[in-house]
Amino acid sequence: MRASDQEKKVVGAIVYWAVGYAFSFGDGNAFIGTKYFFLINVPVNGYYYWWYHYVYAATSASIIGGAVAERIRFVSYLTYTSFTTGFIYPIACHWAWGPRGWLNVGVPGATYQDFSGGSLIHGLGGMCGLMGAICLGPRIGRFDKKGNSNSLPGHNVAFVTLGGFILLFGFFSFNVGSQFRVGQSYGGAIIGLIITNSILSVAGGGITATFIKRFHPRMSKQWSLLTCINGLDIPIHGEPAYPKTSYGSGWGADGDYIMDNEPLMLVHSDSDDNDQLIVESKN
């Protein structure tokens, strides 16, 4: 898995350099960009933009990898990475963040808002990963012949906790970096607002998920550290520059996270995949 992660970053960089950035931010139409292939004639300030959105595109591909980890061939990793970073993410990015994208232009009185990629990166990657997990099917032994779920041995909770908090720390930087600039007189104030909203939405999300898991009559009625960690990661991209939206996504999405495991189990999606997919989709 680690080798495939490195290869995905390498392949993603080449593909996003060649065509992805052009599809994302090149002049074109409401659907797709048609300029700056291979970064030819890109403005000087476009290079840092390419770098940041390459990371966004690679993140989308990595989310898919988490849903199908160690269950597909190496060539398949490279294929979906190329398609995700070179076409799927750039098209969605152009719609919402491109100067002529139809979501960015919007309609009178309403435009699309996605400050740090909650839907364009995590929602997109989560839905693509869901399709991959459904196509692959569950692990051998995950369900019995009647379709009932079998319990599998748990993972290393200490490692999951460490990984969750490393991820969370990175996401705070992710959100602040999405501001792209700090030079204006109000730049520091906006960054302070972003980090404050991020922390409060994360805290609310963790509490909500933990208490639903413990007290909901259809849940296990046990305190779960793993559920809390997933709850922390869900709301981190819930529009941190917009307080009301950020708080609402943090507290509400975690209830959806708990409940959405059930419909995924009906299609025999693997439970480990379910947690990862729902966490990303609810972002």
Side-chain angles (χ1 to χ4, degrees):
M1 182 62 181
R2 298 308 309 166
S4 65
D5 279 344
Q6 299 307 317
E7 292 294 339
K8 280 186 288 187
K9 292 179 177 65
V10 172
V11 171
I14 298 298
V15 174
Y16 197 71
W17 163 73
V19 298
Y21 186 82
F23 289 158
S24 298
F25 297 105
D27 294 333
N29 51 47
F31 180 78
I32 193 171
T34 56
K35 187 179 179 182
Y36 304 139
F37 292 102
F38 300 95
L39 298 185
I40 295 174
N41 295 325
V42 69
V44 174
N45 63 356
Y47 291 107
Y48 81 85
Y49 221 56
W50 174 87
W51 156 251
Y52 209 83
H53 281 276
Y54 150 64
V55 175
Y56 277 3
T59 300
S60 295
S62 294
I63 292 168
I64 304 171
V68 298
E70 301 178 356
R71 294 197 287 159
I72 63 174
R73 295 181 182 275
F74 179 70
V75 173
S76 301
Y77 278 110
L78 302 185
T79 301
Y80 83 70
T81 297
S82 299
F83 197 62
T84 303
T85 57
F87 188 75
I88 298 178
Y89 170 79
I91 295 299
C93 179
H94 183 81
W95 290 356
W97 288 332
R100 297 186 180 181
W102 63 276
L103 285 175
N104 193 21
V105 173
V107 296
T111 57
Y112 180 78
Q113 297 283 351
D114 188 346
F115 180 76
S116 58
S119 60
L120 291 179
I121 302 170
H122 301 275
L124 183 150
M127 294 308 297
C128 291
L130 173 61
M131 296 300 103
I134 291 176
C135 290
L136 281 175
R139 291 168 291 178
I140 296 174
R142 185 66 184 84
F143 297 91
D144 62 24
K145 294 181 179 179
K146 295 182 179 180
N148 298 317
S149 174
N150 291 325
S151 178
L152 295 179
H155 302 293
N156 190 313
V157 177
F159 282 176
V160 173
T161 303
L162 177 61
F165 277 95
I166 292 173
L167 183 66
L168 198 63
F169 183 81
F171 278 155
F172 286 130
S173 301
F174 206 84
N175 282 357
V176 170
S178 296
Q179 174 65 14
F180 284 111
R181 58 189 68 85
V182 295
Q184 309 101 320
S185 59
Y186 56 86
I190 293 178
I191 289 176
L193 175 66
I194 291 169
I195 200 70
T196 300
N197 290 340
S198 298
I199 292 173
L200 291 178
S201 63
V202 163
I207 292 172
T208 302
T210 302
F211 275 78
I212 290 177
K213 180 74 171 179
R214 174 62 179 84
F215 294 107
H216 193 282
R218 299 181 64 179
M219 299 293 111
S220 64
K221 296 184 179 181
Q222 295 178 348
W223 297 108
S224 173
L225 176 60
L226 298 181
T227 299
C228 178
I229 293 170
N230 283 335
L232 293 174
D233 286 334
I234 287 176
I236 187 63
H237 294 300
E239 296 305 293
Y242 307 95
K244 293 181 180 179
T245 307
S246 180
Y247 299 160
S249 66
W251 294 67
D254 285 86
D256 289 345
Y257 153 67
I258 296 294
M259 302 305 175
D260 280 355
N261 258 302
E262 293 194 29
L264 288 180
M265 293 293 278
L266 294 177
V267 295
H268 284 190
S269 177
D270 210 328
S271 62
D272 287 348
D273 298 338
N274 292 351
D275 283 345
Q276 192 261 351
L277 295 171
I278 296 170
V279 166
E280 298 300 343
S281 298
K282 292 304 174 186
N283 266 298

